[in-house]
Amino acid sequence: MIKGIIFDFDGLIFDTETHQYHILQEMFSEYGSELPLGLWQNEVGTDGGFSPFHYMEQQIGKPVEHALLNRQYEEKFLSVLSKEKPRDGVIEYLQMAQELGLKVGLASSSSYRWVSGHLKNLELFDHFHCIRTSDHVEKVKPDPALYLQAAEGLELSPEACLVFEDSAHGATAAKRAGMSCVVVPNKITRTMKFGPVEHRLDSMADMPLRDLLDFVAAIKVK
């Protein structure tokens, strides 16, 4: 029986990832270069140490001003995010979880400052009983540590948790943690190759949480 749900953050609750890629792609275009989607997808949901502007230098064959580009990128990114809302269905899922008496956690490969700041701006912070981020583990996703710590914080076994993810790295982490997983990809991650998961949705708005829980429970019984 599912007693708790655990959300990813970037790209799942708040679609930072689509804006992030589009802004970088625009900046690459200004330098006569391109950031391949497949390459960028390798970094989504994890921290592989990839540097977009070092890659740009390799493509154009000359050095660029990293400090300037990073500043321009950050200004554009934060400006766009200031107008962004949660993805469709997220608020309804959080409200239904409360009505159903489910414990709600969050596990993100981003920093606690990043996650908590945006959750507070979105007025969603108080929905979560436990938040675990890159500040709490030595290895981020696809390592299962974040999800195992989130379950521990919720005082639940991994088997009692249902994870919501948008990336392949995140889904892998959830399954390695022994949890059920539903993927809700965004525009950047929808072409990723996901391993075995319990279900896939285009949007949380497509299926009420109560129905989804019944669906996952039926699969577990089988």
Side-chain angles (χ1 to χ4, degrees), residues 12-110:
L12 188 280
I13 289 177
F14 194 45
D15 193 6
T16 57
E17 292 165 355
T18 298
H19 294 301
Q20 193 173 23
Y21 178 69
H22 287 164
I23 289 169
L24 285 171
Q25 191 67 287
E26 289 174 3
M27 295 179 73
F28 268 67
S29 179
E30 291 173 2
Y31 282 78
S33 185
E34 181 181 0
L35 178 60
L37 177 58
L39 179 63
W40 184 247
Q41 286 177 333
N42 292 333
E43 299 301 308
V44 174
T46 188
D47 183 6
F50 175 72
S51 171
F53 300 126
H54 278 106
Y55 178 78
M56 177 189 286
E57 287 180 327
Q58 296 172 14
Q59 299 309 300
I60 65 176
K62 60 183 180 181
V64 297
E65 295 185 47
H66 288 255
L68 173 62
L69 291 177
N70 278 310
R71 186 167 62 251
Q72 290 175 344
Y73 160 73
E74 187 171 329
E75 289 174 355
K76 292 177 181 179
F77 190 33
L78 294 179
S79 176
V80 171
L81 292 187
S82 68
K83 306 177 184 69
E84 186 69 15
K85 297 179 180 179
R87 286 185 65 188
D88 291 345
V90 169
I91 294 175
E92 289 77 8
Y93 267 41
L94 290 171
Q95 291 172 340
M96 180 57 68
Q98 184 175 0
E99 292 176 16
L100 296 173
L102 298 172
K103 294 182 177 181
V104 182
L106 187 148
S108 171
S109 294
S110 296

Side-chain angles (χ1 to χ4, degrees), residues 121-140:
N121 289 339
L122 296 168
E123 299 183 350
L124 297 179
F125 184 82
D126 292 338
H127 284 278
F128 296 91
H129 303 107
C130 173
I131 295 174
R132 293 293 181 266
T133 67
S134 60
D135 298 310
H136 300 98
V137 294
E138 292 184 6
K139 294 182 179 180
V140 296

Side-chain angles (χ1 to χ4, degrees), residues 2 8 15 17 20 28-29 60-61 69 88 112 120 132 144 167 175 192-193 197 214:
I2 299 298
D8 174 47
D15 193 6
E17 292 165 355
Q20 193 173 23
F28 268 67
S29 179
I60 65 176
L69 291 177
D88 291 345
Y112 182 82
K120 289 173 183 177
R132 293 293 181 266
S167 74
K175 298 306 293 182
M192 279 183 157
K193 293 183 179 180
V197 293
D214 289 341

Side-chain angles (χ1 to χ4, degrees), residues 10 28 50 70 77-78 93 104 114 116 119 144-146 152 155 166-167 180 207:
D10 288 287
F28 268 67
F50 175 72
N70 278 310
F77 190 33
L78 294 179
Y93 267 41
V104 182
W114 173 264
S116 62
L119 285 176
L146 277 166
E152 184 178 350
E155 299 182 336
D166 71 290
S167 74
S180 298
M207 189 176 194

